[in-house]
Amino acid sequence: QVQLVESGGGLVQAGGSLRLSCAFSGGFFSNYIFGWFRQAPGKEREFVAAIRWDGRNTNYADSVKDRFTISRDSTKKTVNLQMNSLKPEDTAIYFCAGMGGFTWVRTVYTLPRSYDSWGQGTQVTVSS
């Protein structure tokens, strides 16, 4: 079965950068849409970014647009999230998620329930 393992979280000062990575195994990497979601204490899990199966399209939440970049490496079977200009409000547990298939529709890939595989999450803390 598909497994996703995140890494790269940590503590950083406001204005700093972090790079999250998600290692994929157990399936055909090129058949998956991948998303990053985050969940802060007491809040619902929210969409951060998504990338199409072929990497040709990406989409971001307004709150992270122009600061975060999602990418995928088919050779290494990893999905990455480069986070720049971090703010204290970016503090959350970040989750990598995979959705098999070829449905690139924003109302679908922005919803957590659309994804059938999830990583365990990695903590990102941004201090002010």
Side-chain angles (χ1 to χ4, degrees):
Q1 79 239 29
V2 170
Q3 288 192 322
L4 300 170
V5 179
E6 302 99 333
S7 61
L11 172 64
V12 64
Q13 288 189 332
S17 299
L18 279 176
R19 183 178 177 84
L20 305 184
S21 186
C22 174
F24 172 94
S25 63
F28 193 55
F29 185 78
S30 296
N31 285 359
Y32 277 77
I33 291 168
F34 292 98
W36 283 96
F37 291 79
R38 66 187 182 187
Q39 189 165 17
K43 294 188 176 181
E44 293 188 352
R45 192 166 298 189
E46 66 173 2
F47 170 76
V48 175
I51 188 165
R52 214 172 76 161
W53 56 88
D54 56 4
R56 293 182 179 179
N57 283 88
T58 58
N59 195 268
Y60 300 90
D62 288 343
S63 59
V64 307
K65 202 172 293 184
D66 299 326
R67 299 189 297 125
F68 290 12
T69 302
I70 188 172
S71 62
R72 60 191 292 159
D73 186 326
S74 296
T75 301
K76 297 180 180 178
K77 295 186 181 179
T78 58
V79 183
N80 305 302
L81 186 69
Q82 178 66 41
M83 306 185 295
N84 299 328
S85 303
L86 282 161
K87 305 175 181 180
E89 51 263 44
D90 293 320
T91 295
I93 299 174
Y94 282 70
F95 297 90
C96 174
M99 174 172 57
F102 305 98
T103 303
W104 184 249
V105 176
R106 195 172 196 282
T107 53
V108 174
Y109 61 70
T110 56
L111 295 178
R113 66 172 182 264
S114 297
Y115 292 79
D116 44 36
S117 300
W118 290 85
Q120 81 288 352
T122 185
Q123 177 70 47
V124 171
T125 303
V126 184
S127 64
S128 56

